[in-house]
């Protein structure tokens, strides 16, 4: 099966998922209504349908990873802002790549390995043991080291002090801090900011945007707090949220709107929605 065929097969499953998963379809609509009130119901529904299809494509592409060659990975991706990676490498203090469930983050990790860089990603274990084992095997077969979120702090410090690169998906609901995301308080992890402050590692917001079937663009934004002068981790975290938000606004169908991103803020009464 070709890369295009894998994405199209996944897209069909995403379309089916949208039709039968009422819970996540409604959550998607509520999140879009909060975050993008300027859009009408028809526009938000269209984004929701395309989002389900998009993540079907991502799943189809990921499952095809074991047969993908290094040459295919490199040929499938254009890059914007790689000079920020090179600048960060020259500092010698490690790199924290901060991304989210946006575009095709798995392709980004494979691309970085294909570029000759080592990359260790911090990932939450899947709820189902069988699923966890399959996902882990695919990632490691592509040369990506995976660190379990619950045991990653010490490993991350060691790797950064060796001028290595770690990747963090920082866009899931958390109770660490409540900083703006789409102009609303949102429970957000402070781990990337704290690691940066402790080690001086560069914080690089980085995204892999889907552009066409089997074709992507890696976008590396300028480092956040490059001189490590900001004392407030919540300010750094807010800047990281803003970087992600700027990308989502360009391609809203490529972010995981079905996740209950504002759950903790709502439970605390910070949102009256």
């Amino acid at each position: 099966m070709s890369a295009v065929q894998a994405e199209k097969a996944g897209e069909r499953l995403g379309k089916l998922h949208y039709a039968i998963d009422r819970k996540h379809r409604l959550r998607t609509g509520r999140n879009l209504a909060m975050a993008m009130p300027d859009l009408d119901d028809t526009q938000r529904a269209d984004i929701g349908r395309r989002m389900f299809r998009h993540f079907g494509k991502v799943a189809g592409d990921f499952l095809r990873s074991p047969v993908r060659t290094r040459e295919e990975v490199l040929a499938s991706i254009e890059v914007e802002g790689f000079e920020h990676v090179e600048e960060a490498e020259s500092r010698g203090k490690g790199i924290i790549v901060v991304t989210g469930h946006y575009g095709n983050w798995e392709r980004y990790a494979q691309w970085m390995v294909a570029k000759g860089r080592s990359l260790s990603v911090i990932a939450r274990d899947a709820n189902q043991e069988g699923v966890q084992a399959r996902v882990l095997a695919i990632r490691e077969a592509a040369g990506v080291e995976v660190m379990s979120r619950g045991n990653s702090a010490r490993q991350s410090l060691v790797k950064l002090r060796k001028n290595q690169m770690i990747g963090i998906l920082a866009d899931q609901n958390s109770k660490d801090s409540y900083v703006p995301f789409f102009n609303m308080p949102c429970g957000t992890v402070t781990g990337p900011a704290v690691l940066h402050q402790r080690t001086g590692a560069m914080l690089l917001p980085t995204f892999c945007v889907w552009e066409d079937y089997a074709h992507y663009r890696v976008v590396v934004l300028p480092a956040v707090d490059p001189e490590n002068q900001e004392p407030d981790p919540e300010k750094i975290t807010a800047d990281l949220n803003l970087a992600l938000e700027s990308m989502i606004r360009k391609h809203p169908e490529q972010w995981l709107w079905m996740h209950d991103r504002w759950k903790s803020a709502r439970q605390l009464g910070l949102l009256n929605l």
Side-chain angles (χ1 to χ4, degrees), residues 5-178:
Q5 289 171 329
E7 285 194 355
K8 288 190 173 181
E11 186 174 26
R12 289 192 292 271
L13 289 177
K15 185 177 180 180
L16 176 62
H17 187 192
Y18 178 82
I20 65 177
D21 190 348
R22 183 175 182 271
K23 174 184 175 181
H24 289 100
R25 190 171 66 242
L26 291 176
R27 180 179 293 160
T28 295
R30 287 194 294 267
N31 282 341
L32 280 164
M34 286 193 301
M36 297 186 169
D38 52 316
L39 301 181
D40 60 33
D41 290 345
T42 300
Q43 291 171 313
R44 290 193 288 264
D46 179 63
I47 291 171
R49 282 191 294 269
R50 289 188 291 132
M51 181 210 68
F52 274 82
R53 294 199 297 267
H54 169 76
F55 283 97
K57 286 183 289 192
V58 170
D61 181 72
F62 177 67
L63 291 174
R64 187 181 171 275
S65 296
V67 301
R68 186 174 299 123
T69 66
R70 174 179 180 273
E71 291 72 25
E72 180 187 337
V73 172
L74 292 174
S76 68
I77 291 181
E78 298 180 30
V79 62
E80 175 185 325
F82 195 70
E83 67 272 14
H84 302 307
V85 175
E86 295 172 326
E87 166 63 19
E89 289 175 331
S90 73
R91 300 286 186 102
K93 294 186 176 181
I95 300 174
I96 305 169
V97 172
V98 183
T99 188
H101 295 82
Y102 173 88
N104 191 333
W105 62 95
E106 300 284 357
R107 273 274 188 157
Y108 170 78
Q110 294 171 13
W111 173 78
M112 188 56 77
V113 171
K115 290 281 288 182
R117 271 75 172 179
S118 63
L119 176 64
S120 303
V121 299
I122 299 173
R124 187 181 70 178
D125 293 340
N127 294 330
Q128 297 177 332
E129 187 174 334
V131 173
Q132 170 65 18
R134 179 74 186 280
V135 169
L136 180 62
I138 292 175
R139 286 172 172 161
E140 291 185 339
V144 180
E145 181 183 359
V146 180
M147 299 183 291
S148 175
R149 180 179 295 178
N151 303 306
S152 63
R154 183 179 296 274
Q155 296 177 70
S156 297
L157 288 171
V158 169
K159 291 180 182 298
L160 293 174
R161 286 168 179 159
K162 291 181 178 179
N163 195 27
Q164 296 180 8
M165 183 183 303
I166 66 171
I168 302 176
L169 278 77
D171 64 339
Q172 292 188 300
N173 180 59
S174 170
K175 296 180 180 179
D176 285 3
S177 65
Y178 295 89

Side-chain angles (χ1 to χ4, degrees), residues 103-271:
N104 191 333
W105 62 95
E106 300 284 357
R107 273 274 188 157
Y108 170 78
Q110 294 171 13
W111 173 78
M112 188 56 77
V113 171
K115 290 281 288 182
R117 271 75 172 179
S118 63
L119 176 64
S120 303
V121 299
I122 299 173
R124 187 181 70 178
D125 293 340
N127 294 330
Q128 297 177 332
E129 187 174 334
V131 173
Q132 170 65 18
R134 179 74 186 280
V135 169
L136 180 62
I138 292 175
R139 286 172 172 161
E140 291 185 339
V144 180
E145 181 183 359
V146 180
M147 299 183 291
S148 175
R149 180 179 295 178
N151 303 306
S152 63
R154 183 179 296 274
Q155 296 177 70
S156 297
L157 288 171
V158 169
K159 291 180 182 298
L160 293 174
R161 286 168 179 159
K162 291 181 178 179
N163 195 27
Q164 296 180 8
M165 183 183 303
I166 66 171
I168 302 176
L169 278 77
D171 64 339
Q172 292 188 300
N173 180 59
S174 170
K175 296 180 180 179
D176 285 3
S177 65
Y178 295 89
V179 295
F181 188 51
F182 284 90
N183 302 312
M184 294 176 291
C186 185
T188 308
V189 294
T190 56
V194 172
L195 277 173
H196 158 70
Q197 290 177 318
R198 290 185 63 179
T199 65
M202 298 289 276
L203 276 175
L204 291 184
T206 307
F207 308 94
C208 183
V209 184
W210 186 92
E211 294 206 319
D212 199 353
Y213 292 102
H215 183 71
Y216 306 87
R217 178 178 297 275
V218 165
V219 178
V220 185
L221 299 180
V224 171
D225 188 34
E227 305 305 326
N228 197 12
Q229 295 181 335
E230 175 54 59
D232 185 359
E234 290 198 358
K235 173 61 169 62
I236 297 170
T237 301
D239 288 343
L240 292 171
N241 270 2
L242 187 60
L244 173 60
E245 180 182 328
S246 72
M247 295 299 297
I248 295 172
R249 289 188 181 278
K250 293 177 181 178
H251 302 281
E253 76 286 353
Q254 295 193 34
W255 187 64
L256 196 67
W257 291 100
M258 68 180 78
H259 172 58
D260 197 357
R261 186 68 181 86
W262 287 272
K263 179 179 179 180
S264 293
R266 191 171 59 250
Q267 290 175 336
L268 278 180
L270 299 177
L271 291 175

